[in-house]
Amino acid sequence: MFECLDSVITAVGLARHLSIMAIAVIVSVLIMLFAARAIGEFVDTHPTIKMLALSFLIMVGFTLIAEGFDVHVPKGYNQTQISNRLVNSIFSEPIEQAVSEFYFQIIF
């Protein structure tokens, strides 16, 4: 949530009017507050998404550390990694369920 809020504040900082900035921040915070519980429950019930979120946070952290040492990391690298992990998560979860059901039938 704080990562998103930071992005909103940064993007809104490009606006020329204070009222637009304030409205954008308030609306984004309200949306995040209303969506937080549903997103949290979804992440709790899907462990692959939880790992995806944790790896995303680690990747952002390393990127920020690298930028602090004046090492530029192109955005394409991060976006490619995120999309690859997301597609992998989308396809792996149904396959894992099918395999576990198959093994359950064999064992019992």
Side-chain angles (χ1 to χ4, degrees):
M1 180 171 150
F2 295 109
E3 187 77 29
C4 295
L5 187 59
D6 179 49
S7 299
V8 168
I9 291 171
T10 302
V12 166
L14 299 173
R16 296 181 189 265
H17 302 288
L18 182 63
S19 60
I20 293 174
M21 287 186 233
I23 291 170
V25 170
I26 291 170
V27 169
S28 65
V29 168
L30 289 175
I31 290 172
M32 283 185 255
L33 287 174
F34 286 118
R37 177 168 290 159
I39 293 172
E41 290 172 358
F42 178 79
V43 169
D44 284 340
T45 57
H46 296 85
T48 55
I49 300 297
K50 187 183 291 188
M51 291 305 297
L52 178 71
L54 290 173
S55 63
F56 172 72
L57 289 174
I58 291 170
M59 184 179 56
V60 168
F62 280 125
T63 303
L64 291 173
I65 290 170
E67 292 284 339
F69 286 111
D70 290 331
V71 177
H72 178 67
V73 179
K75 290 182 182 179
Y77 290 162
N78 292 340
Q79 293 168 350
T80 302
Q81 291 174 1
I82 292 169
S83 61
N84 184 12
R85 290 177 183 162
L86 182 63
V87 169
N88 187 13
S89 297
I90 289 171
F91 288 119
S92 70
E93 191 164 332
I95 293 171
E96 288 175 5
Q97 287 178 349
V99 168
S100 66
E101 289 174 7
F102 176 74
Y103 283 130
F104 184 76
Q105 290 174 354
I106 291 174
I107 294 173
F108 297 106

